[in-house]
Amino acid sequence: MDQQPIDGAPGRYWHRLDDGRIQCDVCPRYCRLHEGQRGLCFVRARAGDAIVLTTYGRSSGFCIDPIEKKPLNHFLPGTPVLSFGTAGCNLTCKFCQNWDISKAREFDRLQDKASPEAIAEAAVKSGSRSVAFTYNDPVIFLEYAIDVAQACRERGIKTVAVSAGYICAEPRREFFRHMDAANIDLKGFTEGFYKTLCTGHLQPVLDTLTYLKHETDVWFEITTLLIPGENDAPAEIEGLSRWVMEHLGPDVPLHFTAFHPDWKMRDKPPTPPATLRMARDIGRAAGLRYVYTGNIHDPTGQTTYCHACGAALIGRDWYDLGTWNLGADGRCGDCGARCAGVFEARHGGWGRRRRPLAVREPAAVQPR
Ligand code: SF4
């Protein structure tokens, strides 16, 4: 815990305890803080008699990505998304694939200062259809993410949350009210996996998924990173797939993606492509209509097929789209069955490009 003077924007979701500490109620960590202490996520901290967000308005950098990279395969396919993160995380995954951002303790790397209005303006000017909160979990900077989302909506820009879904019920309601789409990382399907490798719990993530499905209009997809020997047993994959089918239905896309040795888990090999294909087969056998492989070259496993007639609807080769066999209403060009998702008459043409972007304050707009 840090003891340096702390500065930041007012934080929401906390309460005072009888012993004088302040408890953060954003995520199920429930950090209890004395004056000057930071929470586990490092970016929420106690300053005086309140919690502050120390990374409001600061970014680890902006990049325009294909929306498929989030990954979202059924949300405005082929369109560019202005992506950014801040620093810190509320999980401690040993296999973290973004550890340079999520584990950042040195905020001098957060060199890009950007108001919500500047980000929305940059999205419009760059032709991005959406803004994604990604690279680290937006739950921990929800005040900033929500202000950005509001500014985006005023400009007709959609918003995308890439999150582990590790958030308490009340902030969950507020946060997702401002999102148009989400990719939720379901890291494994056992409490032991979450406890041992992430020092978290599985149930709050499942609660977020069922909340999104049954109480919001947010379009969401699920990603599970398969780690050899940790969460890739066929029985665990089958349990996960069956849970999705039973609690969320057949239309929520599920992405099984490849692990690469990183952070504190360098003793495991990369996920074999055969494991990802096996997982996809299991998901489909459970009744799920849209199951994908990710982080490998697998056009078959990354193509969207019609659930009714089996026709290829959206062909993908990495992030390049090929086949497009959908009407504007998302109906199969062959049989007319509807494909779940958010589609337009044509797909975007962004392709696989990744373009860094400098976000500048509009001259007439003052930061909040
Ligand atoms: S958001 Fe951060 S400070 Fe709040 S409970 Fe979670 S880890 Fe702790």
Side-chain angles (χ1 to χ4, degrees), residues 13 23-33 38-45 51 89-91 139-142 166 168:
Y13 303 108
Q23 175 173 309
C24 176
D25 298 317
V26 167
C27 89
R29 298 250 172 225
Y30 300 117
C31 295
R32 297 171 170 194
L33 305 175
R38 292 176 183 268
L40 176 132
C41 60
F42 198 70
V43 300
R44 306 183 77 81
I51 298 279
C89 191
N90 58 339
L91 288 171
V139 158
I140 62 170
F141 63 92
L142 85 166
Y166 202 59
C168 294

Side-chain angles (χ1 to χ4, degrees), residues 5-311:
I6 289 176
D7 190 22
R12 301 199 273 276
Y13 303 108
W14 53 267
H15 73 279
R16 197 181 317 280
L17 299 170
D18 290 343
D19 65 7
R21 292 180 297 172
I22 289 182
Q23 175 173 309
C24 176
D25 298 317
V26 167
C27 89
R29 298 250 172 225
Y30 300 117
C31 295
R32 297 171 170 194
L33 305 175
H34 291 290
E35 173 60 26
Q37 286 187 320
R38 292 176 183 268
L40 176 132
C41 60
F42 198 70
V43 300
R44 306 183 77 81
R46 177 170 175 175
D49 278 341
I51 298 279
V52 296
L53 171 61
T54 60
T55 51
Y56 189 101
R58 303 170 72 192
S59 153
S60 56
F62 293 85
C63 214
I64 304 178
D65 284 331
I67 191 74
E68 285 76 13
K69 197 170 183 181
K70 299 304 102 186
L72 287 175
N73 280 357
H74 294 232
F75 184 77
L76 302 175
T79 59
V81 51
L82 178 58
S83 305
F84 78 99
T86 58
C89 191
N90 58 339
L91 288 171
T92 61
C93 306
K94 290 181 178 164
F95 48 88
C96 185
Q97 311 275 291
N98 276 331
W99 60 270
D100 53 333
I101 291 172
S102 63
K103 311 302 177 199
R105 293 290 183 268
E106 302 294 335
F107 284 175
D108 54 2
R109 62 168 294 117
L110 296 181
Q111 292 173 349
D112 282 1
K113 292 192 175 181
S115 67
E117 291 77 10
I119 295 170
E121 176 81 2
V124 171
K125 282 191 172 159
S126 64
S128 300
R129 296 294 307 279
S130 55
V131 165
F133 311 102
T134 180
Y135 310 136
N136 72 323
D137 203 305
V139 158
I140 62 170
F141 63 92
L142 85 166
E143 294 86 356
Y144 184 33
I146 287 169
D147 286 353
V148 173
Q150 287 178 325
C152 284
R153 280 191 170 164
E154 287 168 11
R155 308 293 302 269
I157 300 291
K158 308 278 189 201
T159 50
V160 175
V162 180
S163 170
Y166 202 59
I167 184 170
C168 294
E170 199 181 343
R172 179 190 290 139
R173 280 193 292 276
E174 186 189 11
F175 179 74
F176 285 109
R177 199 165 64 235
H178 298 276
M179 299 297 143
D180 295 295
N183 188 291
I184 303 297
D185 209 3
L186 179 56
K187 293 173 183 288
F189 200 60
T190 64
E191 175 66 7
F193 182 94
Y194 269 87
K195 193 172 173 189
T196 306
L197 297 181
C198 313
T199 64
H201 301 286
L202 170 62
Q203 191 58 48
V205 183
L206 301 183
D207 291 345
T208 294
L209 290 169
T210 49
Y211 172 77
L212 285 172
K213 178 65 186 178
H214 299 293
E215 298 186 51
T216 76
D217 292 325
V218 176
W219 175 258
F220 71 100
E221 305 184 17
I222 300 171
T223 297
T224 298
L225 184 79
L226 290 181
I227 305 171
E230 298 291 355
N231 64 354
D232 65 341
E236 183 171 341
I237 294 167
E238 186 175 351
L240 185 156
S241 301
R242 285 188 172 189
W243 184 90
V244 173
M245 183 68 190
E246 184 180 336
H247 293 266
L248 309 178
D251 285 333
V252 176
L254 177 57
H255 302 252
F256 290 111
T257 59
F259 160 84
H260 298 288
D262 217 332
W263 187 230
K264 293 180 179 174
M265 192 177 278
R266 295 176 188 272
D267 58 330
K268 300 280 181 190
T271 314
T275 300
L276 298 167
R277 294 193 181 103
M278 176 266 296
R280 178 169 174 266
D281 289 345
I282 291 173
R284 285 158 59 91
L288 301 177
R289 292 172 171 172
Y290 312 110
V291 189
Y292 300 101
T293 59
N295 290 349
I296 59 166
H297 187 239
D298 181 19
T300 300
Q302 285 151 12
T303 291
T304 302
Y305 299 93
C306 176
H307 66 86
C309 73

